Amino acid sequence: MATMTLSGPDLARRRGLRQMRLVALSLLVLAAIVYVVTLHRDGGWGYVNAASEAAMVGALADWFAVTALFRRPLGLPIPHTAIVPTRKDSLAESLEQFVTENFLSEEVVAEKMRTAEVSRRAGEWLAAGNHAERIVEEGARTIGAALPKLGDEDVTAFIRGSLLPRFAQEPLSPIAGHFLQSVVEDGAHHALFDLLVVEAYDWLRDNRETLTEVVGPRAPRWSPRWVDTLVIDRIHKEALTWLAGVRDEPQHPARKAIDRLLGQLADDLQNDPDMMERFEAFKRRMLSHPDMGTSLTAVWDAVRTALIGAINDPEGPLRSRAAQAIKDLGKRLQTDEVLRARVDTRASEAVGYVVRTYGTEIVSVISDTIERWDGQEASARIELHVGRDLQFIRINGTVVGALVGLVIHTLSQLL
């Protein structure tokens, strides 16, 4: 066997190979002894002698056949021997082609994925025991180690070099319009509008002097001060009354006007060329502002700090909610047939894409690895894995040879 590093399983295979070789050789030696002992003896011993002679022939023939796969028998340069070391590259290519056509084809892998019920098994595993907690723990450890390594310089370089230029080139007006349309249709903006109205009412109620400072200088010079005060008081009162009405009446005309305004704006952002160009121009001005990259980096730094703190808290709500969400997903994968079918389909498509795109590169590992071996190493490794089973050919050849020899000798005597 060629010199090479053997692992624990390889050492066990080598012991098994040597044992089976010893068994096969012992049968050959036994047949030879029986042949010598029964040679030139009459009667029933003739049958035994013929059987032992044929057993030796079968054993030697099969020894030659098995040995010729991996080396030259007795070192003799016999043609078509040492097949593995001399033709390892072509054998590797044939093996690669066989695996590609019969195992790593898109149809075979996709069908296996569809019938393996991967989603159901995954759901059972996620919902059982503390598997969800383990996933969260490993994920938190990985994210917690990766986030601090993302320095501000790297983030700023990514934002300024890739993110902002990409957003500047990408038309965002239709996206913003579609998003605003969804917000208006769902009424999601009402909560924000309510907050603004309440804050405006409270501010105006508590800042009567500020209103005087803003409106007072605009009064006519000939107007008496007491008249100005009455007018400002009236404006303040009417504004508060209007804001209170908007605040308290869900069907107030102002609310409907805001809905119509936002709806029209959403439509213009998607269909009006002038509005779309104005939005894109505003976007480009904002993204090209010198402080935009610094501001986004500061936001990222704040988010990163908060996220690291939440991740590093084993008893915090982030981890507990993540673990519960994983468990809930596991339960849904067991009970929701629609979700399970969708996940299995997506998994099958993903695996099919990988096989279709990278299958050749994956299988090429076989030929690339074997081509790096020298002939003797390839022969030694392959014999280590299949040689023990091949010794049964020698054993069977000895037994079958003996039986065939016995039959032939019997027919010869009968004839």
Side-chain angles (χ1 to χ4, degrees), residues 209-240:
E209 296 78 8
T210 303
L211 180 64
T212 301
E213 295 173 359
V214 173
V215 179
R218 297 181 178 275
R221 294 181 179 180
W222 50 264
S223 175
R225 184 174 298 276
W226 63 271
V227 174
D228 295 343
T229 301
L230 290 176
V231 171
I232 293 173
D233 287 342
R234 184 65 178 178
I235 293 175
H236 185 255
K237 181 179 179 181
E238 291 298 328
L240 286 177

Side-chain angles (χ1 to χ4, degrees), residues 25-92:
L25 179 60
S26 299
L27 288 177
L28 173 60
V29 172
L30 177 61
I33 293 174
V34 172
Y35 175 77
V36 172
V37 171
T38 59
L39 186 63
H40 303 308
R41 299 186 66 175
D42 298 328
W45 293 109
Y47 292 90
V48 177
N49 182 262
S52 62
E53 180 180 11
M56 288 190 296
V57 173
L60 290 172
D62 287 334
W63 165 81
F64 181 90
V66 172
T67 303
L69 290 172
F70 306 104
R71 63 188 65 84
R72 299 192 183 279
L74 302 177
L76 300 176
I78 303 173
H80 303 294
T81 58
I83 294 175
V84 171
T86 58
R87 299 187 57 197
K88 66 179 181 67
D89 292 346
S90 61
L91 291 174

Side-chain angles (χ1 to χ4, degrees), residues 144-217:
L147 285 178
K149 299 182 184 300
L150 295 176
D152 291 345
E153 299 81 4
D154 299 330
V155 175
T156 302
F158 169 74
I159 291 174
R160 291 179 175 174
S162 300
L163 188 63
L164 294 182
R166 177 62 179 173
F167 277 125
Q169 297 174 3
E170 188 72 21
L172 298 182
S173 176
I175 299 175
H178 181 72
F179 174 75
L180 181 58
Q181 181 180 359
S182 300
V183 169
V184 174
E185 290 176 352
D186 295 340
H189 64 293
H190 290 162
L192 176 61
F193 183 75
D194 290 342
L195 177 63
L196 293 176
V197 171
V198 170
E199 291 298 322
Y201 179 88
D202 293 341
W203 181 88
L204 186 61
R205 182 193 59 198
D206 300 333
N207 292 271
R208 167 68 173 73
E209 296 78 8
T210 303
L211 180 64
T212 301
E213 295 173 359
V214 173
V215 179

